[in-house]
């Protein structure tokens, strides 16, 4: 059998990470040490598998014998979860709700994500850190490697973003194209979401709601204050 490529492409890595996530959820293994114990392998074997983006076939066999899991579900997310449900340690409904959708079926399920306040863990700190207050099931196609979900606590961007809306922010995107929605941190206030415009030595942060004043940030500080760019909003529509 020919060896797999040593370097993974994006699709292979995505498949591996999602399959590994299903294994962790089904076995309750939260760390690599725990996962190695469940699979009865060395930790280095898990690192090798990740480097190759390949899960050894005998892992699937072990998980069937120990947990009754269906190899097709582990590998591709194809139901049923269990071949031998009597050995299952986690209800199948729970696993189907909490595990990511398989690659190639991007809209079939959601991924449960933590939702943070806009104030964050400590709004007086120099840098912003998330503070989870609830969870949200996000469509798989809406997810990103560094996705942050916050709950809007202001009406400054209404009607585009209503107070109480769930806002997806890609922390990998910190560019500032004019007119784009960005999440910017202000110490003592928390996050604010505004449309950003570059004006020489400053950035103008404009609200969509005319009742709110525009803000300014020095261009030299903008990169460090920017948490990311808004990529989606989930909210109820109000019928006028």
């Amino acid at each position: 059998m020919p060896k797999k490529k040593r370097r993974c492409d994006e699709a292979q890595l995505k498949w591996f990470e999602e399959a590994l996530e299903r294994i962790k959820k089904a076995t309750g293994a939260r760390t690599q040490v725990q996962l190695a114990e469940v699979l009865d392998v060395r930790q280095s074997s898990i690192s090798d598998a990740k480097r190759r983006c390949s899960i050894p076939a005998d892992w699937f066999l072990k998980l069937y014998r120990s947990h009754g899991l269906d190899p097709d579900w582990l590998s591709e997310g194809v139901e049923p979860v269990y071949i031998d449900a009597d050995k299952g340690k986690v209800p199948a409904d729970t696993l189907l709700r909490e595990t990511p959708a398989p690659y190639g079926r991007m809209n079939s399920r959601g991924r449960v994500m933590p939702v943070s306040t806009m104030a964050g863990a400590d709004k007086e700190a120099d840098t912003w850190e998330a503070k989870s207050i609830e969870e949200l099931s996000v469509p798989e196609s809406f997810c990103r490697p560094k996705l942050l979900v916050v709950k809007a606590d202001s009406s400054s961007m209404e009607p585009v973003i209503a107070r109480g809306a769930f806002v997806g922010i890609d922390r990998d995107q910190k560019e500032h194209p004019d007119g784009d929605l960005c999440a910017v941190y202000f110490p003592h206030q928390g996050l604010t979401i505004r449309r950003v415009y570059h004006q020489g030595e400053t950035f103008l942060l404009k609200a969509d709601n005319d009742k709110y004043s525009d803000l300014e940030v020095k261009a030299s500080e903008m990169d460090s204050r920017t948490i990311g760019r808004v990529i989606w909003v989930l909210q109820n529509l109000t019928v006028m």
Side-chain angles (χ1 to χ4, degrees):
M1 180 179 293
K3 294 183 178 179
K4 288 185 177 291
K5 293 185 294 184
R6 196 169 186 80
R7 293 179 61 84
C8 302
D9 60 28
E10 184 177 351
Q12 287 175 312
L13 181 59
K14 182 175 178 64
W15 170 85
F16 176 84
E17 289 178 344
E18 292 185 347
L20 197 66
E21 184 68 15
R22 282 189 283 272
I23 292 174
K24 289 179 178 179
K25 291 286 188 183
T27 61
R30 297 180 180 275
T31 66
Q32 189 161 307
V33 173
Q34 293 173 340
L35 184 58
E37 291 176 353
V38 168
L39 294 170
D40 192 25
V41 298
R42 296 177 178 177
Q43 292 184 53
S44 59
S45 297
I46 298 174
S47 299
D48 289 342
K50 184 172 184 177
R51 187 178 65 253
R52 298 191 305 270
C53 291
S54 176
I55 296 178
D58 66 325
W59 289 13
F60 294 131
L61 180 59
K62 288 179 180 179
L63 291 167
Y64 161 67
R65 289 174 174 170
S66 62
H67 292 70
L69 291 160
D70 187 338
D72 286 337
W73 179 76
L74 291 171
S75 176
E76 305 297 338
V78 177
E79 299 172 33
V81 175
Y82 295 107
I83 293 177
D84 185 354
D86 291 338
K87 293 184 178 180
K89 294 178 171 56
V90 182
D93 289 346
T94 300
L95 292 173
L96 292 175
R97 183 175 67 250
E98 294 185 351
T99 54
Y103 182 74
R105 292 165 53 191
M106 298 296 285
N107 294 301
S108 60
R109 286 196 189 89
R111 179 178 298 186
V112 177
M113 300 288 296
V115 178
S116 174
T117 64
M118 294 186 71
D122 180 3
K123 66 181 182 181
E124 295 186 4
D126 292 335
T127 57
W128 187 88
E129 295 293 338
K131 179 182 179 181
S132 179
I133 52 170
E134 58 183 293
E135 292 182 331
L136 177 71
S137 180
V138 177
E140 180 68 20
S141 57
F142 284 22
C143 293
R144 299 290 187 277
K146 290 187 179 180
L147 177 68
L148 168 69
V149 184
V150 299
K151 193 168 188 177
D153 60 5
S154 166
S155 55
S156 63
M157 296 307 296
E158 289 184 346
V160 175
I161 302 176
R163 183 189 295 271
F166 296 103
V167 183
I169 299 166
D170 188 347
R171 301 192 74 162
D172 269 338
Q173 296 187 38
K174 295 193 176 183
E175 304 84 0
H176 308 102
D178 278 357
D180 268 25
L181 295 173
C182 292
V184 182
Y185 177 52
F186 285 81
H188 310 290
Q189 298 180 46
L191 286 189
T192 188
I193 295 174
R194 297 290 175 94
R195 296 192 186 278
V196 175
Y197 297 89
H198 187 208
Q199 296 187 337
E201 296 183 355
T202 64
F203 278 88
L204 180 66
L205 280 60
K206 293 186 66 65
D208 281 3
N209 188 336
D210 292 338
K211 295 180 180 179
Y212 287 76
S213 301
D214 297 337
L215 303 170
E216 286 190 357
V217 175
K218 293 179 180 178
S220 59
E221 298 177 3
M222 194 62 178
D223 285 344
S224 61
R225 287 204 191 183
T226 301
I227 302 301
R229 288 164 64 188
V230 173
I231 54 174
W232 52 257
V233 178
L234 297 177
Q235 63 187 4
N236 292 324
L237 293 177
T238 302
V239 180
M240 302 301 291

